[in-house]
Amino acid sequence: YTFLPVNGAAFVMQAMHPVIGDVVGKYSVFRTDPMGRAVRSIDSVMRWVYGGQEAIEEGKRLRRMHQPLQMRNAEGKHISALNPAAYQWVIATAYPTSVVAAPLVLGREFTPAEEEEVYRDNVRIAKIVQVPMNGFPQTIDEFTPYFDNMIDNVLVAHPTALELVRQMQTAPRLDRSVP
């Protein structure tokens, strides 16, 4: 559950991508089963990272599961959950959220070597889940302009992302006074 806040940040960043926001808005169960949806995502991520051969099968399962998620957006354009740029963005969000969350979990910043390792793992994960690698940043130096371009030219205050934020703001809080 420590991973939930990090995952929440990644979910919002992902839903700000117009294609992802549209597809999630239409197909996701985040409205009716938010905790289940989050836990299933975390389970999948843990399989990518620690699953060995099971990670490869999980990547294949994800592609099969997302294949039918296609629709026409508000402008009438055909979009798909497997849109290469959108699929890349989903995996790319793991890097900045991990780096920002590290001090919260570890009690310190990543060292430069650890940050490089986290990024290399992100690229490995992209390959495991069969993200199209053409255009996917292979290094931190390539990631920075990629990320800046996404922020400046692609991401929007998508209604689905805003709904996710509202959902997180109104989630029940744990009562810390209970032993």
Side-chain angles (χ1 to χ4, degrees):
Y1 290 102
T2 304
F3 197 61
L4 284 173
V6 176
N7 224 24
F11 288 161
V12 172
M13 289 172 60
Q14 293 163 13
M16 291 174 68
H17 189 290
V19 170
I20 299 167
D22 286 349
V23 172
V24 167
K26 180 172 182 175
Y27 292 108
S28 179
V29 298
F30 81 92
R31 293 176 185 96
T32 57
D33 185 19
M35 186 58 84
R37 176 67 185 94
V39 168
R40 286 187 297 278
S41 289
I42 292 168
D43 180 62
S44 186
V45 169
M46 294 297 112
R47 289 171 198 267
W48 309 340
V49 175
Y50 301 111
Q53 184 58 37
E54 189 178 335
I56 304 298
E57 294 308 314
E58 179 64 4
K60 291 176 183 177
R61 184 192 73 80
L62 284 175
R63 287 201 62 91
R64 286 190 308 272
M65 182 182 77
H66 287 89
Q67 180 64 40
L69 305 182
Q70 300 182 35
M71 60 184 278
R72 297 228 174 258
N73 65 12
E75 292 80 41
K77 181 180 176 189
H78 178 264
I79 60 172
S80 164
L82 295 179
N83 168 286
Y87 208 48
Q88 288 175 343
W89 179 242
V90 169
I91 301 306
T93 61
Y95 172 69
T97 55
S98 296
V99 170
V100 170
L104 304 173
V105 177
L106 299 175
R108 64 173 175 80
E109 301 285 333
F110 279 134
T111 66
E114 289 170 329
E115 195 170 325
E116 287 288 339
E117 185 176 344
V118 167
Y119 197 79
R120 280 192 307 274
D121 286 345
N122 193 250
V123 172
R124 282 187 211 111
I125 287 169
K127 291 175 182 175
I128 287 170
V129 297
Q130 302 176 0
V131 167
M133 297 309 289
N134 186 21
F136 191 86
Q138 298 297 302
T139 65
I140 292 173
D141 288 341
E142 291 176 10
F143 183 82
T144 300
Y146 166 83
F147 185 80
D148 291 346
N149 179 63
M150 293 299 288
I151 298 294
D152 294 341
N153 300 308
V154 178
L155 303 183
V156 298
H158 195 283
T160 302
L162 298 175
E163 187 176 352
L164 278 166
V165 170
R166 282 190 298 278
Q167 187 181 70
M168 286 183 233
Q169 289 172 328
T170 60
R173 306 234 188 270
L174 295 175
D175 183 358
R176 292 196 170 99
S177 66
V178 176

